[in-house]
Amino acid sequence: MSTSARHHLEARLGDRTASVCVIGQGYVGLTLAAACAVEGFRVTGIDVDEGRVDALARGELVVPGVEEPLFVQASESSSLRFASDFEDVATADVVVICVPTPVTDHRPDLSMVESAARQVGERLRRGALVVLESTTYPGTTEHVVAPLLERARFRAGRDFWLAFSPERIDPGNIKFGLRTTPRVVGGIEQDSTDLAAAFYGSVVDNVFPVSGCRTAEMAKLLENTFRMVNIALVNELAVLCGEQGIDTWEVIEAAATKPFGFMPFQPGPGVGGHCIPLDPTYLAWQSRRDTGRPFRLVELAQDINAEMPAYVTRRISDALAERGVALPKARILALGVTYKPDVGDLRESAAVATLAQLDRRGARITYHDPFVPRLRSHGMSLRRTPLTRANIEAADAVVVLTPHSEYDLAAITRHARLVFDARNALHQRGDDRVVTL
Ligand SMILES: NC(=O)c1ccc[n+]([C@@H]2O[C@H](COP(=O)([O-])OP(=O)(O)OC[C@H]3O[C@@H](n4cnc5c(N)ncnc54)[C@H](O)[C@@H]3O)[C@@H](O)[C@H]2O)c1
């Protein structure tokens, strides 16, 4: 590509006259689209879900977790429009793909990335920058996305620029958002890296360019695998500590006083959300595909985390038995069913998996969650129970699975016969009505 084409795009990025298409208006894509619009770019948020597009166009924030002030500001800026067709790609300077990358039948499912890339490839214009943000295994940008964009007419790096930049956003995190979380970018050649860095530099404070797409893809998998494996480590430790009569949480707190070389992770019913439990599967799958070797730590950690709902259930059963109550027929009131506090996301929720175990063992389950009026999962169909004093008193055990910050756990404990605190949310010791994982 000519130097003047590069300068042209740099100039348009610099004075914010560049037009941007963001493909996929979920949590990741909508946040980016809104941030770009607020920054002054002309943005089209494209999604195949027409209902979602219509609602967003009406100004309804139908995507949980996206910052409302950001969305309102972007909607009012008149720089942001939404579409269910891909027509605006034909005139876009920058196209960012943020579609889901789930795991289907225990393997990476890139069907939505492929479909989005195909649609973009049919319309892409010479001199545009395309960035993939969806989490995936190394090689996807070069070997899966590039050929679909190139088709017969273009070559990546010659006719358009191509990069990978992983989204690292942490739902519900009020300290680190899109702007304050540093960005890793890696292009298929240096100009692609530089232009992607220039684009993200307009909406993110710190950009960290790396030597290529595969490094950027792998960095994302390392981050999430690191988290998943360390959670498995403390979960296994929690099981051992439970057997040895040692307070796991005190152990972690003590270890965390070391000012270097240690980072605390908390045990619980498992890992949830649609990133931490699934992204390491991309790594493990690629290792087996390309080397024939398992990625042992990932597979072991997945097994350990998967056993936690059964372990939590056993501990609840033991705590009830000590009070003369058998788990079958015991009335359990579960607090919080989403995968983490203060978000409304049920995907891969270990709290739900724990409820399913309790259900299977014959317990009579009710639940409360401010975000979930109705729970249909694992063959259960439950309606939210009001969190009244009578309901708390009637339960044989109140089980804290996901401690949303609106819960007054101290007040709940005063009326409960037994509280099983799977997250150490109460930090309560010495009260024999409170049992901590
Ligand atoms: N949510 C997070 O916290 C997070 C964090 C980091 C990375 N990621 C990664 O970012 C990617 C997107 O995640 P998300 O949470 O925003 O997903 P999401 O499920 O919230 O939204 C994805 C959107 O993409 C749309 N879509 C699907 N196929 C499409 C297509 N072919 N063309 C256009 N739109 C299409 C869907 O209708 C949906 O609205 C995934 O790879 C995910 O792993 C997510």
Side-chain angles (χ1 to χ4, degrees), residues 22-30 46-49 52 63 86 97-102 111-117 119 133-136 166-171 220 224 274-275 279 282 339 345 347:
V22 182
I23 318 294
Q25 290 298 285
Y27 177 69
V28 169
L30 180 58
I46 297 175
D47 202 292
V48 288
D49 179 342
R52 173 165 290 200
V63 184
F86 285 69
I97 300 176
C98 308
V99 298
T101 42
S111 57
M112 287 178 264
V113 169
E114 288 167 356
S115 154
Q119 292 278 2
E133 279 204 13
S134 305
T135 306
T136 185
E167 175 50 75
R168 302 163 129 178
I169 211 159
D170 179 19
K220 172 70 186 178
N224 284 1
H274 70 127
C275 292
D279 298 352
Y282 275 65
Y339 86 89
D345 196 338
R347 286 177 288 183

Side-chain angles (χ1 to χ4, degrees), residues 393-406:
E393 285 174 347
D396 294 305
V398 173
V399 177
V400 181
L401 291 172
T402 304
H404 297 298
S405 49
E406 72 163 57

Side-chain angles (χ1 to χ4, degrees), residues 12-33:
R12 289 172 72 77
L13 290 170
D15 65 13
R16 311 295 191 250
T17 50
S19 56
V20 179
C21 282
V22 182
I23 318 294
Q25 290 298 285
Y27 177 69
V28 169
L30 180 58
T31 302
L32 180 70

